[in-house]
Amino acid sequence: MPHATFRILTLCTGNICRSPAADLLLAHALSGDARFSVSSAGTHAMTGWGISSPMDELLAERGIESDQFVSRQADHRMLSGSDLVLTATREHREWAVGTAPGVVRRAFTLTEFADAVAAHPEPAALTARELTAWAASHRPSAAVANRGAATRRGYVEGDILDPYGRGRSAYVASLGQIEPLTARIAAVLLATKP
């Protein structure tokens, strides 16, 4: 029998910029619904750190406090115990599946999952777990998803840009990608049946 709480893990590299932002935005949007829990980790985490200052400031501007946040390293147990793994990039998703192959049908980039669930005609007819399974079966093939997708700095279309070590404008741009995706995902998850 599945765990009663639908556990969402957001994942990036250091767990100090992108994944904590996705974690805290999703947790904030889902906070009124006890069915969901959200956390984050990194593929190469700066373990024990707080959120980078520019991202912390941007989240605070949205009324989201991050002073209790501490970065952590993702591992097999953490990944395997998650019902949904949302990654900043395809590279992070590949790392998650390589580390815990059992999550292959539960691991998506933020963009992939947001696009997939937004396309479902009636999410209220499904539980969050059923919706995740549906999204996995409606994921575009790797060949289609990667066709012509290379962008600057080695990212592919739909990846969340890494702002670490860059100016505030990079953090604004990164959060500008994350925020609408987490809002779309939260809205659909809240619409699912218990």
Side-chain angles (χ1 to χ4, degrees):
M1 181 176 163
H3 193 272
T5 303
F6 187 80
R7 294 159 299 179
I8 303 166
L9 177 70
T10 64
L11 191 68
C12 72
T13 305
N15 192 216
I16 59 169
C17 301
R18 294 170 289 177
S19 59
D23 168 359
L24 294 171
L25 287 165
L26 272 172
H28 181 74
L30 298 170
S31 64
D33 194 323
R35 294 180 296 162
F36 303 102
S37 71
V38 188
S39 63
S40 64
T43 61
H44 297 82
M46 299 166 119
T47 306
W49 289 33
I51 296 178
S52 60
S53 291
M55 190 64 82
D56 180 51
E57 292 166 11
L58 291 169
L59 291 169
E61 289 170 10
R62 289 153 176 80
I64 298 172
E65 296 302 320
S66 63
D67 56 334
Q68 300 298 313
F69 180 85
V70 178
S71 60
R72 61 191 185 142
Q73 175 64 40
D75 59 26
H76 183 276
R77 179 194 54 76
M78 189 184 301
L79 291 162
S80 297
S82 299
D83 297 297
L84 175 61
V85 178
L86 297 173
T87 69
T89 69
R90 291 181 190 175
E91 185 177 311
H92 296 127
R93 185 191 65 212
E94 290 166 10
W95 183 92
V97 172
T99 302
V103 303
V104 67
R105 295 187 52 79
R106 301 189 312 267
F108 304 82
T109 68
L110 276 165
T111 302
E112 283 175 333
F113 194 71
D115 288 349
V117 298
H120 193 281
E122 195 179 350
L126 303 175
T127 66
R129 285 177 183 80
E130 290 167 340
L131 181 65
T132 300
W134 181 88
S137 66
H138 288 78
R139 185 190 331 243
S141 73
V144 171
N146 291 316
R147 187 181 304 137
T151 61
R152 63 192 177 109
R153 298 177 189 241
Y155 290 94
V156 294
E157 193 64 37
D159 281 356
I160 306 300
L161 299 175
D162 187 357
Y164 183 69
R166 299 169 60 201
R168 181 179 167 91
S169 62
Y171 285 85
V172 169
S174 183
L175 191 59
Q177 290 179 283
I178 296 166
E179 198 166 20
L181 296 172
T182 55
R184 194 178 336 158
I185 290 167
V188 176
L189 288 175
L190 288 169
T192 60
K193 68 181 183 181

